[in-house]
Amino acid sequence: MNSALPPSGGVRKYPTRATHRFPWLATSAGGRFMSTRFFPLTPIAVALLLPLGASANAAVPAPPQMCGHEEMPEIDPRYRMVCALDQGITANLAADQSDRITTVLEQLAPRETGLFFPKGTYRVDKDLPLRTGNVLVGSPAGATRFVNSTGTASEITEVLHSAKNIRVEHLILDNITVRTFDSSNAVIRNNRFENTRTPHAQLRVSGAAVVDGNVFLRGPGNRGTGIVLTNARQAKVIGNWIGEDPSQTHDQRRATSPERSSGYFKLALVSSESSVDVLIRKNRMTVALDTKSAEPLRLAYLSGAVGLILDDNVFKVINGRNDQQQPAVELRAPQDTTVVRNTFLAVPLRLLPSDGEAVRPPIKRTNVIANSFVEATVDTTQITTGWSATATTPDDLVFTSNRFSGGESACMLNAPEPTTSGMTYGEADNLMQGTGDGAKACNLRNLSPEDARARVPEPFHPAAAPVVNADDLSLARTNRAHRQPLPTLTTVRPGPPPSIQATSPEPSTHRVKPGGHPLPIQPDVGPAEDAPPTAHPAQGWLAWLSAELHALLHRMTAMFSGR
């Protein structure tokens, strides 16, 4: 009898392709082929059943890798790390482990691999050099503390300036600083810098670094610098706390006396060289004052920025002196820069001309939009220089929709007295909080609401000034009782940049009688060379074209480099 025939005779039934692939579909309890009249396997049915077969062969996920009694955290696939305890490094050991950590990192360098340190304390009295792929990651669930017990801070840095994929994350760095260079694409995230016994920067980064979610603290006797950016390109500084400890209680953070604070910074944030397309967003920066300084104090100083976005930050001061001017946020010669949605608590904002020591362009295409100033003012000492593309024109700096609260300055917004009537910057919709009255503006021309809106960059339109919480408002008003009235500024001779060491001359008193009214909407154009650029002079045409081409090249480079 032909074995292909059914036992009872009749039509021959052959197994289909689907039953060859899934024999369990074709057999009944007796092992016979089921008739396709009762179980037709259409292509759609096969497609729906395929995942069931695949799932049966799926691999079981590997258990999480352990380091001591702690699971190693997941990390971005471009980074690799191994357990430090498996490499002869011991947690909570009294002896210095710098040499052992350095040796292990050097051995891991050919595989571009770094170390995970479970919670515990690790004594690190010497510098730790990093190579490409050397990551240092601490416990996200507990406290991983690196401690330098000597009197001088040690440094985590690169052994070569060409190292890449550097990452320092979830570490408490006690008297230890970090420094990376241009090509490293460093990620410095969720660390805590404290007890830093050097005036130098706690963190210095370059290139396209990401500085995210860190805490920077300085106590009495250790005043110095927080973050320094050098030659930053598309860097991001986001969500950091400088001078305040987010782990403290609500009442501790309300401290109004410097000795209770952790904000003993000479400079919280510095951009010491030209930077391009840097984003500084949602940071909180605090400086404490308890001694009189012989030089002007600055909370943040950003020099030569192109494409800077300063967005939704809080700047504040805890002032224990009654004879000291407040530290300022200073931007020197910014271009294509937007200052938007920030809160300035007893901290003035100043926009300065180039320093004169280097060939730098003047202020260009900069907007100050929808910021909250509490017991603080905003001013510029940059004069307008003409209508050419290489000059600072009346359209290159605009103040729009800012809100002011408190203060006794005759000018809440201020610019230098123009040499030609009407040749000054514009302002619109700048109001006193609560009353709705226009904020006092000196030597600025009032723009119509339509004109003002047209000047706001599209990503920030519309933008609203941030609401100041009650504690910050109370602190700013308390500090107001401790400070001298802010002088109204005028143009000063460019001096050296107020970087970590250098200082600039004190601002002089304005020549305009306080309480002056804003200039009219329509400028009274004087000499022909100061006329608006409806027709460029022949001798300035090439300069204008060159500047426009340079700006276009910069935007195209930024667009394609981000892909």
Side-chain angles (χ1 to χ4, degrees):
M1 182 175 182
N2 194 330
S3 61
L5 291 174
S8 59
V11 181
R12 190 189 306 265
K13 302 294 182 183
Y14 291 98
T16 65
R17 291 185 180 179
T19 58
H20 273 302
R21 184 151 187 184
F22 302 101
W24 50 272
L25 293 175
T27 57
S28 63
R32 298 169 182 169
F33 289 114
M34 297 176 64
S35 173
T36 56
R37 289 180 299 173
F38 302 104
F39 203 105
L41 287 178
T42 65
I44 294 178
V46 173
L48 291 174
L49 291 169
L50 282 175
L52 297 176
S55 64
N57 297 323
V60 178
Q65 186 176 355
M66 302 298 291
C67 185
H69 299 289
E70 186 174 343
E71 289 185 11
M72 290 181 59
E74 294 184 1
I75 195 169
D76 190 299
R78 66 184 138 167
Y79 304 102
R80 292 186 290 271
M81 61 185 182
V82 297
C83 176
L85 304 187
D86 296 339
Q87 308 298 318
I89 299 166
T90 306
N92 304 312
L93 185 68
D96 177 26
Q97 300 192 75
S98 305
D99 291 339
R100 180 58 191 165
I101 295 174
T102 298
T103 299
V104 172
L105 290 173
E106 185 175 1
Q107 293 170 348
L108 294 173
R111 292 183 283 156
E112 297 188 6
T113 301
L115 291 170
F116 168 72
F117 295 82
K119 62 184 178 181
T121 299
Y122 303 82
R123 183 174 162 187
V124 181
D125 291 347
K126 301 176 185 176
D127 293 348
L128 294 181
L130 303 181
R131 296 166 174 81
T132 294
N134 279 164
V135 301
L136 299 176
V137 178
S139 170
T144 301
R145 180 182 293 271
F146 281 18
V147 178
N148 177 354
S149 59
T150 70
T152 304
S154 54
E155 185 176 63
I156 298 172
T157 187
E158 299 176 28
V159 66
L160 297 172
H161 290 194
S162 59
K164 294 180 175 59
N165 294 335
I166 299 298
R167 190 181 186 104
V168 179
E169 185 171 355
H170 288 303
L171 297 177
I172 298 174
L173 299 174
D174 190 322
N175 195 28
I176 298 172
T177 64
V178 175
R179 181 172 184 172
T180 65
F181 298 92
D182 290 359
S183 61
S184 63
N185 297 324
V187 176
I188 313 298
R189 176 171 289 154
N190 296 332
N191 302 286
R192 180 184 173 100
F193 296 76
E194 62 184 21
N195 301 321
T196 310
R197 291 186 286 276
T198 175
H200 301 302
Q202 292 174 306
L203 173 63
R204 184 183 294 267
V205 294
S206 304
V210 175
V211 181
D212 179 16
N214 302 281
V215 177
F216 300 84
L217 306 175
R218 282 187 178 270
N222 291 318
R223 188 179 293 277
T225 303
I227 302 174
V228 172
L229 307 175
T230 59
N231 290 320
R233 299 292 185 270
Q234 298 180 329
K236 296 177 176 62
V237 181
I238 302 174
N240 301 281
W241 289 63
I242 307 176
E244 274 191 278
D245 187 350
S247 68
Q248 287 184 332
T249 65
H250 177 72
D251 288 339
Q252 287 174 314
R253 291 206 305 271
R254 291 179 60 190
T256 58
S257 57
E259 61 271 13
R260 293 183 59 195
S261 78
S262 301
Y264 282 81
F265 287 88
K266 184 177 180 181
L267 279 162
L269 176 64
V270 182
S271 176
S272 60
E273 297 179 26
S274 297
S275 60
V276 177
D277 296 335
V278 172
L279 174 63
I280 301 174
R281 173 175 287 164
K282 291 187 178 299
N283 303 281
R284 191 172 176 94
M285 309 182 199
T286 303
V287 167
L289 302 179
D290 61 354
T291 58
K292 181 174 175 58
S293 175
E295 61 185 54
L297 293 174
R298 292 155 184 91
L299 193 154
Y301 174 73
L302 308 171
S303 177
V306 176
L308 169 68
I309 296 177
L310 194 66
D311 177 23
D312 198 13
N313 303 281
V314 176
F315 305 96
K316 77 174 191 177
V317 61
I318 299 176
N319 194 355
R321 302 288 301 183
N322 60 6
D323 56 356
Q324 177 68 57
Q325 295 293 342
Q326 300 297 81
V329 173
E330 293 188 351
L331 277 64
R332 187 176 290 278
Q335 293 205 349
D336 299 295
T337 290
T338 303
V339 182
V340 61
R341 294 187 294 243
N342 300 284
T343 302
F344 297 85
L345 300 169
V347 174
L349 171 65
R350 295 174 181 161
L351 296 104
L352 309 175
S354 62
D355 52 50
E357 286 196 344
V359 178
R360 286 186 182 146
I363 294 175
K364 298 287 291 182
R365 299 173 297 277
T366 293
N367 294 272
V368 180
I369 310 166
N371 301 280
S372 288
F373 294 87
V374 180
E375 303 290 342
T377 60
V378 55
D379 57 70
T380 180
T381 56
Q382 171 74 64
I383 62 172
T384 56
T385 57
W387 284 103
S388 72
T390 57
T392 296
T393 76
D395 293 333
D396 277 328
L397 182 57
V398 179
F399 304 91
T400 309
S401 301
N402 299 286
R403 299 295 179 260
F404 296 82
S405 176
E408 298 178 2
S409 176
C411 302
M412 305 307 293
L413 303 99
N414 187 40
E417 182 182 7
T419 56
T420 301
S421 178
M423 281 286 293
T424 189
Y425 310 110
E427 65 90 17
D429 188 35
N430 297 291
L431 305 176
M432 298 301 297
Q433 196 72 37
T435 67
D437 295 336
K440 296 178 182 177
C442 296
N443 302 317
L444 294 170
R445 57 192 172 96
N446 186 257
L447 302 174
S448 66
E450 295 76 13
D451 193 9
R453 280 194 295 270
R455 297 167 190 267
V456 175
E458 187 64 29
F460 305 103
H461 181 70
V467 177
V468 182
N469 66 56
D471 289 339
D472 286 338
L473 188 63
S474 175
L475 175 63
R477 288 174 174 168
T478 300
N479 281 323
R480 176 64 186 88
H482 289 279
R483 69 171 181 167
Q484 295 176 329
L486 285 171
T488 307
L489 302 185
T490 187
T491 307
V492 295
R493 184 181 182 86
S499 58
I500 301 175
Q501 291 84 17
T503 63
S504 65
E506 291 280 0
S508 57
T509 305
H510 201 286
R511 293 171 289 167
V512 174
K513 183 178 179 179
H517 297 286
L519 295 176
I521 296 176
Q522 297 297 330
D524 181 12
V525 179
E529 60 268 22
D530 292 328
T534 53
H536 293 282
Q539 62 270 25
W541 187 87
L542 288 177
W544 169 82
L545 179 61
S546 175
E548 291 299 315
L549 290 174
H550 176 76
L552 177 62
L553 178 62
H554 164 69
R555 288 179 174 82
M556 293 179 65
T557 301
M559 185 192 334
F560 288 106
S561 63
R563 293 187 175 182

